[in-house]
Amino acid sequence: MSNDFDFLSDSTEQTSTRYVTMVTPKLNRFDLAILTTNRFYGKKLIIDMQSGISAIIGPDDLDEEGFLEHRFRLNEEQAEELHEFLSQIVGPISYPDD
């Protein structure tokens, strides 16, 4: 590694990755990689493998109006169906003890 870099963080950890390819009832297709890690306080790293767009998502993000539409460049119907799926797999945020 070059000595020119000023690393703020550099760590390796074991993660769990779930790959989901699905067609929704309204025939929208999603190809997702869902990473579970200890880094994001219980939020999941969701990657749309069709577009390469990713987001760190927790229940607070799902509750934010227009979040999925904006972040993943979806129309309202697509976002509703993605929201329905993600709300089943995104768990609560967990903050470390102070």
Side-chain angles (χ1 to χ4, degrees):
M1 297 250 169
S2 173
N3 292 333
D4 295 337
F5 295 106
D6 187 11
F7 291 96
L8 300 178
S9 176
D10 183 2
S11 62
T12 302
E13 73 171 273
Q14 293 291 328
T15 63
S16 170
T17 306
R18 176 180 175 186
Y19 296 97
V20 176
T21 297
M22 65 181 174
V23 177
T24 65
K26 294 183 181 173
L27 302 180
N28 292 303
R29 178 179 171 157
F30 292 98
D31 296 293
L32 305 172
I34 304 157
L35 284 78
T36 302
T37 175
N38 293 324
R39 286 199 68 89
F40 307 119
Y41 305 105
K43 292 186 175 192
K44 308 249 188 235
L45 175 59
I46 311 292
I47 303 167
D48 178 346
M49 295 188 300
Q50 291 180 32
S51 66
I53 296 172
S54 64
I56 299 168
I57 298 179
D60 55 330
D61 302 301
L62 291 177
D63 290 341
E64 187 178 325
E65 187 174 333
F67 175 79
L68 293 176
E69 290 96 320
H70 174 73
R71 186 67 192 115
F72 288 103
R73 300 181 190 136
L74 303 173
N75 64 41
E76 188 175 335
E77 176 185 281
Q78 293 168 320
E80 285 175 10
E81 291 192 307
L82 182 57
H83 182 277
E84 184 178 333
F85 172 71
L86 292 178
S87 64
Q88 297 173 33
I89 62 159
V90 171
I93 297 174
S94 57
Y95 296 102
D97 294 334
D98 292 317

